[in-house]
Amino acid sequence: MKLLSSDTRLGILYMLIASFLFALTMVFAKLLSGSMGSVEVTFWRNAIGLAVIGVFVLRKPIRNIGGKPITLIFRGVIGTIALLTFFYTISATSLSNAIVYAKTEPIFTALLAFLLLGEKLKSHALLAVIVGFAGVAMLSGLKMGYLHIMGILTGFLSALAYTSVRSLKAYYDERTVVLSFMVSGVVIPLVLMMIAEYTTSELFAFALNPFVMPRGNDWVWIALMGIAAAYGQIYMTRAYFYAKAGIVSTVSYSVVLFATFFGIMLGDVLPTPMVVTGGILIIVSGILLSRQK
């Protein structure tokens, strides 16, 4: 029996910590959704995270080669929209459903890599994609309402953002990529909240919420959410540094277990057998695709 190297074990541990912190981020976002919209939750998540990451940047200045500013901006904008749809699904459904929808990202990443980057889609990978979409159909209950569209959009937009990151690695420090995302995640929600003061839209309900002044425990949840998200990002980055991407991506599915456990603690209704089956198919699909990295 081949034992894992110390670096690989450390990478797995870091990813488990990151998954736990990301699940906590969802918990605090869920608690905040009772008093503010998903746009404002996105704003506070990134505002606190920006301050935390900023401290790390001051300690160790960023050095970039540069050369792809449009792609960098694109990653920040798409990542922010993905976060808006993600927090919307958190507010509208159980934590387990929201995170499973988000975990469709590897399925769309495989398709985008095939369509945009010219990477080969092998037969077993194609089968995994088909299994994943079957899981999406079951998770949505064979319906396509607004909530389900937002959930699927979360996975698709996350995949688009991830695909763009792959083309930025050779040009920018990873902290620059994270900062571009967080800066966009502060500026875009601010603009959207200002627009929401003058107009509403059922179609863009996930993106148009007026600003609500946080009160009482809201400030505690905001601080904890931002800190958990920032450190989750840090530990996830460390995990990919120590272990292979396929291993880390597989371990990242532990966030589904953490989110489900926390959701039950918050009073989420237990999922139906059909929803559970759909979630399992999506996870299996994602793991199979992740193992090809």
Side-chain angles (χ1 to χ4, degrees):
M1 179 177 175
K2 186 178 179 180
L3 296 177
L4 296 173
S5 69
S6 58
D7 280 355
T8 299
R9 290 198 297 271
L10 198 56
I12 291 172
L13 175 61
Y14 284 150
M15 192 64 242
L16 286 172
I17 294 172
S19 294
F20 180 79
L21 291 171
F22 287 144
L24 278 181
T25 301
M26 294 177 63
V27 170
F28 300 130
K30 186 77 169 181
L31 292 171
L32 287 168
S33 67
S35 55
M36 63 182 67
S38 56
V39 179
E40 188 172 351
V41 173
T42 301
F43 166 77
W44 287 116
R45 185 268 192 199
N46 286 290
I48 301 297
L50 189 61
V52 174
I53 297 297
V55 172
F56 286 93
V57 172
L58 289 175
R59 291 179 179 177
K60 184 180 179 182
I62 292 175
R63 291 182 176 83
N64 298 310
I65 296 174
K68 287 198 172 186
I70 301 301
T71 306
L72 188 66
I73 294 171
F74 175 80
R75 186 269 180 268
V77 172
I78 291 299
T80 298
I81 299 174
L83 200 57
L84 288 170
T85 58
F86 180 51
F87 281 141
Y88 177 86
T89 57
I90 286 176
S91 68
T93 188
S94 65
L95 293 187
S96 58
N97 279 16
I99 193 60
V100 171
Y101 270 124
K103 282 299 182 180
T104 59
E105 173 263 315
I107 304 171
F108 290 111
T109 297
L111 289 176
L112 288 171
F114 171 70
L115 296 172
L116 302 180
L117 302 180
E119 295 184 7
K120 292 182 179 180
L121 192 61
K122 297 179 181 178
S123 57
H124 55 274
L126 180 60
L127 177 61
V129 169
I130 294 172
V131 169
F133 280 123
V136 171
M138 296 185 71
L139 182 65
S140 63
L142 302 178
K143 299 177 182 178
M144 199 47 64
Y146 190 81
L147 168 63
H148 308 302
I149 292 174
M150 290 300 103
I152 293 170
L153 262 181
T154 299
F156 173 74
L157 293 172
S158 297
L160 201 56
Y162 177 77
T163 303
S164 66
V165 167
R166 291 167 67 177
S167 66
L168 291 171
K169 286 182 178 179
Y171 300 89
Y172 296 98
D173 184 298
E174 61 189 19
R175 291 171 297 167
T176 300
V177 179
V178 173
L179 284 173
S180 74
F181 166 50
M182 289 190 171
V183 169
S184 294
V186 169
V187 174
I188 292 175
L190 276 176
V191 173
L192 291 174
M193 286 188 288
M194 287 190 286
I195 294 174
E197 294 292 340
Y198 303 98
T199 185
T200 58
S201 170
E202 290 186 7
L203 180 61
F204 295 103
F206 76 96
L208 290 176
N209 311 131
F211 177 80
V212 177
M213 181 59 67
R215 294 179 297 179
N217 287 336
D218 288 347
W219 291 111
V220 177
W221 307 143
I222 285 170
L224 291 175
M225 177 180 64
I227 293 170
Y231 275 95
Q233 191 75 39
I234 291 168
Y235 276 105
M236 182 181 71
T237 301
R238 289 180 181 176
Y240 278 100
F241 180 83
Y242 282 99
K244 292 181 179 180
I247 294 175
V248 174
S249 296
T250 300
V251 176
S252 73
Y253 279 87
S254 60
V255 70
V256 177
L257 297 177
F258 290 130
T260 301
F261 174 73
F262 288 140
I264 292 172
M265 289 181 64
L266 290 177
D268 282 349
V269 177
L270 292 176
T272 64
M274 185 174 182
V275 169
V276 171
T277 303
I280 290 173
L281 289 177
I282 291 172
I283 292 172
V284 169
S285 171
I287 290 174
L288 290 175
L289 290 167
S290 297
R291 299 295 291 181
Q292 305 306 313
K293 294 180 181 179

